[in-house]
């Protein structure tokens, strides 16, 4: 009941609740009017799985919470420039999802505060209602509202960036999300192997190739060129990981008035411990190159 | 008593008008459909003009990575100040996996749950029945 009321509260209290009408432009991909690169860019940003999903998997697998996994926010003021701010924003967004899902609301404030600082640096601070997030974080009964408000703020910011031709910033934020999600998964796996987490690490291959495609577009920028080079190193490891799929027809049924579709396709990731160790080392190196700016 | 009734009626009218609008209010109202054991993931906004050709209906296209082992729920809500009733469809490549509208029975479910057994990049299409002009939001949530 508390959860339900919390969600109701959250639905009526999202940040930046603009009453401007939806624009028609951003929701439509008109195949005849865009090139492959722009389409891929849109796909990339949409396709990086939500930071909540990796945290949800860890919870499902009874992985205990570990504060050591998340990025320190102590020296966030030292992060300079849009490039580093955007990647760090993605990293902290993932950490926020991890903290929220593990109900570590008392530890959320420093991360929310750092997100607030970084978003202000990127001039998208209007999408984060710091006072509301602080209020929600102060009471564990508001967890659903906190999760909704956090995700909604990121989504609205992403829409705004894309509508205002700042897709490069949007790309860097999702890159940060990807780095931190993969880092979390590899750290957990390194501590204790788990088949589902291994698969999830391997599945990141689907996104990695898209990210590289996008970085190629921006490689005239030296920072993007470095990121591209780092991700190409990762790709050489992922090239040997295969994802085998088999197709089957889905089943549909009505359960308590709800249409339920059960997919019968299968996917299997072939990945070894050695490959995961290599990915873990490479991802940690990339992540450190961003978060060590803070030190 | 009359005053109270007038206030209640005005509140109800205001609420119904708010729901009908093609803006963030539609998103926040639609997310009321998320059950308490689920977590909100993403919203997909679509505003489309009327079809000019009945065989080529306007479609808003999105893509999303869905992970195996997760149960997702897709809700779609249409703005009432537009004629169009939204349909949300989920595609795996060119294969239609799920739809909020069942064409044969002409049943509009407005939502469906999807148990995902294959991690892949899926396509989400939002269109409007009979190509009418419309405004809608699709809400993706995941069972915790």
């Amino acid at each position: 009941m508390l959860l339900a009321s919390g969600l109701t509260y959250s639905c009526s209290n999202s940040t930046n609740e603009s009453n401007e009408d939806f624009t028609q432009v951003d929701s439509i991909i008109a195949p005849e009017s865009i090139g492959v690169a722009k389409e891929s860019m849109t796909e990339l940003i949409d396709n990086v799985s939500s930071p909540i999903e990796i945290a949800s998997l860890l919870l499902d697998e009874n992985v205990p919470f570990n504060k050591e996994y998340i990025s320190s926010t102590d020296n966030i003021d030292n992060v300079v420039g849009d490039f580093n701010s955007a990647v760090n924003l993605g990293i902290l967004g993932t950490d926020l999802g991890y903290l929220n899902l593990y109900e570590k609301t008392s530890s959320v404030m420093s991360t929310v505060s750092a997100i607030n600082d970084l978003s202000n640096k990127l001039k998208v601070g209007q999408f984060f209602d710091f006072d509301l997030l602080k209020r929600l974080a102060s009471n564990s009964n508001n967890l659903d509202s906190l999760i909704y408000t956090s995700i909604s703020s990121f989504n609205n910011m992403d829409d705004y960036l894309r509508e205002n031709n700042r897709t490069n910033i949007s790309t860097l934020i999702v890159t940060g999300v990807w780095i931190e999600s993969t880092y979390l998964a590899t750290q957990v796996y390194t501590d204790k192997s788990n088949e589902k987490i291994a698969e999830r690490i391997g599945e990141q291959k689907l996104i990695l190739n898209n990210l590289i495609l996008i970085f190629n577009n921006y490689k005239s920028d030296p920072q993007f060129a470095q990121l591209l080079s780092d991700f190409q190193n990762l790709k050489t490891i992922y090239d040997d990981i295969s994802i085998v799929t088999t197709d089957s027809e889905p089943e549909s049924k009505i359960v308590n008035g709800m249409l339920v579709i059960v997919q019968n396709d299968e996917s299997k990731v072939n990945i070894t411990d050695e490959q995961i160790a290599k990915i873990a080392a490479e991802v940690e190196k990339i992540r450190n190159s961003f978060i060590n700016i803070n030190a | 008593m009359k005053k109270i009734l007038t206030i209640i009626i005005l509140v109800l009218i205001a609420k119904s008008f708010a729901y009908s609008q093609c803006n963030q209010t539609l998103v926040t109202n639609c997310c009321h459909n998320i059950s308490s054991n689920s977590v909100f993931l993403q919203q997909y906004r679509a505003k489309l003009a009327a079809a000019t050709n009945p065989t080529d209906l306007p479609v808003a296209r999105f893509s999303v990575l869905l992970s195996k082992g997760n149960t997702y729920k897709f809700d779609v809500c249409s703005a009432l100040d537009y004629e169009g009733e939204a349909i949300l469809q989920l595609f795996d490549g060119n294969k239609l996996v799920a739809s909020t509208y069942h064409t044969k029975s002409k049943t509009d479910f407005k939502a469906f749950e999807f148990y995902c057994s294959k991690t892949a990049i899926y396509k989400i299409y939002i269109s409007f029945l009979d190509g009418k002009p419309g405004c809608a939001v699709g809400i993706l949530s995941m069972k915790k």
Side-chain angles (χ1 to χ4, degrees):
Chain A
M1 184 62 193
L2 277 172
L3 283 174
S5 60
L7 188 64
T8 306
Y9 176 82
S10 73
C11 286
S12 56
N13 286 277
S14 83
T15 54
N16 188 47
E17 198 162 295
S18 156
N19 276 334
E20 283 175 28
D21 272 12
F22 293 171
T23 50
Q24 206 163 301
V25 187
D26 98 294
S27 57
I28 305 167
I29 301 168
E32 67 281 2
S33 64
I34 58 170
V36 174
K38 189 171 180 186
E39 191 175 43
S40 298
M41 255 186 243
T42 307
E43 282 199 8
L44 156 78
I45 295 162
D46 287 344
N47 289 341
V48 172
S49 51
S50 162
I52 289 291
E53 292 203 45
I54 189 70
S56 175
L57 173 66
L58 301 182
L59 259 183
D60 284 349
E61 294 302 299
N62 298 313
V63 175
F65 175 79
N66 188 342
K67 202 172 188 307
E68 297 301 310
Y69 295 151
I70 65 171
S71 172
S72 165
T73 56
D74 291 346
N75 297 302
I76 206 74
D77 290 346
N78 296 344
V79 176
V80 178
D82 285 359
F83 190 95
N84 292 320
S85 297
V87 176
N88 273 282
L89 189 55
I91 288 172
L92 292 177
T94 306
D95 290 344
L96 182 62
Y98 178 62
L99 288 166
N100 281 342
L101 231 62
Y102 273 82
E103 303 186 20
K104 302 294 175 191
T105 47
S106 57
S107 309
V108 160
M109 276 325 296
S110 61
T111 303
V112 167
S113 175
I115 285 173
N116 188 49
D117 290 349
L118 290 175
S119 59
N120 282 331
K121 281 182 187 175
L122 290 165
K123 297 181 179 65
V124 286
Q126 69 271 31
F127 295 99
F128 294 90
D129 186 337
F130 184 63
D131 290 334
L132 173 63
L133 288 166
K134 203 162 87 176
R135 217 164 48 241
L136 294 175
S138 66
N139 187 337
S140 58
N141 288 335
N142 292 329
L143 186 67
D144 280 357
S145 305
L146 181 61
I147 292 172
Y148 173 80
T149 306
S150 310
I151 297 171
S152 181
S153 304
F154 266 91
N155 289 347
N156 289 332
M157 178 188 65
D158 184 52
D159 285 347
Y160 172 83
L161 287 169
R162 281 193 260 175
E163 282 164 17
N164 288 278
N165 295 321
R166 295 176 73 192
T167 311
N168 56 336
I169 299 295
S170 211
T171 301
L172 291 167
I173 294 170
V174 296
T175 301
V177 169
W178 188 92
I179 291 169
E180 191 70 346
S181 299
T182 312
Y183 174 79
L184 265 175
T186 51
Q187 290 303 304
V188 167
Y189 189 88
T190 305
D191 288 348
K192 191 181 178 194
S193 61
N194 174 303
E195 198 184 332
K196 284 187 182 171
I197 294 168
E199 281 218 272
R200 190 61 62 87
I201 295 165
E203 287 163 359
Q204 299 309 309
K205 178 178 182 174
L206 296 168
I207 305 301
L208 180 77
N209 292 334
N210 273 350
L211 283 168
I212 287 172
L213 200 68
I214 302 306
F215 298 157
N216 256 310
N217 271 1
Y218 296 114
K219 67 182 175 190
S220 56
D221 176 324
Q223 287 177 298
F224 266 106
Q226 180 59 52
L227 198 57
L228 174 64
S229 164
D230 292 340
F231 271 67
Q232 275 166 338
N233 290 339
L234 256 176
K235 188 178 181 297
T236 57
I237 308 166
Y238 269 103
D239 280 344
D240 295 327
I241 296 165
S242 63
I243 302 173
V244 183
T245 60
T246 51
D247 287 351
S248 193
E249 285 306 308
E251 290 168 48
S252 62
K253 53 191 174 186
I254 308 290
V255 181
N256 299 326
M258 171 64 66
L259 175 63
V260 177
I261 312 293
V262 179
Q263 190 182 34
N264 289 313
D265 293 1
E266 282 178 20
S267 61
K268 169 89 185 133
V269 179
N270 296 312
I271 186 166
T272 65
D273 284 354
E274 195 189 351
Q275 286 165 327
I276 293 175
K278 283 184 188 171
I279 292 166
E282 204 62 43
V283 168
E284 188 171 12
K285 201 170 82 185
I286 298 171
R287 179 182 183 262
N288 284 346
S289 72
F290 289 103
I291 66 166
N292 281 351
I293 294 166
N294 306 343
Chain B
M1 187 65 186
K2 247 185 174 178
K3 243 183 181 178
I4 295 170
L5 268 175
T6 313
I7 291 167
I8 290 170
I9 289 165
L10 283 173
V11 166
L12 287 174
I13 290 170
K15 214 171 172 186
S16 120
F17 182 69
Y19 189 82
S20 73
Q21 289 185 321
C22 176
N23 56 30
Q24 186 66 20
T25 316
L26 184 65
V27 179
T28 51
N29 280 306
C30 196
C31 91
H32 282 113
N33 296 325
I34 300 172
S35 60
S36 56
N37 64 341
S38 296
V39 58
F40 165 79
L41 292 182
Q42 183 64 277
Q43 76 252 11
Y44 303 97
R45 296 177 298 174
K47 187 178 174 186
L48 299 173
T52 49
N53 178 349
T55 58
D56 186 17
L57 303 184
V59 178
R61 298 175 175 87
F62 309 91
S63 66
V64 63
L65 179 83
L66 300 180
S67 300
K68 83 176 198 182
N70 288 341
T71 300
Y72 298 94
K73 185 175 173 230
F74 291 87
D75 283 281
V76 68
C77 298
S78 308
L80 299 180
D81 52 350
Y82 283 76
E83 217 181 330
E85 278 295 319
I87 301 169
L88 186 148
Q89 295 171 305
L90 184 69
F91 284 86
D92 175 14
N94 292 324
K95 186 166 96 177
L96 177 64
V97 181
S99 173
T100 55
Y101 186 78
H102 190 259
T103 314
K104 275 187 187 168
S105 64
K106 294 189 174 173
T107 310
D108 187 4
F109 291 96
K110 299 190 190 303
F112 61 81
E113 279 187 3
F114 175 63
Y115 172 75
C116 179
S117 64
K118 184 178 81 175
T119 301
I121 293 165
Y122 294 84
K123 303 281 180 201
I124 297 163
Y125 286 9
I126 297 177
S127 59
F128 292 92
L129 202 55
D130 303 325
K132 288 180 179 163
C135 171
V137 63
I139 299 286
L140 171 63
S141 58
M142 182 184 74
K143 275 197 175 172
K144 284 194 263 188

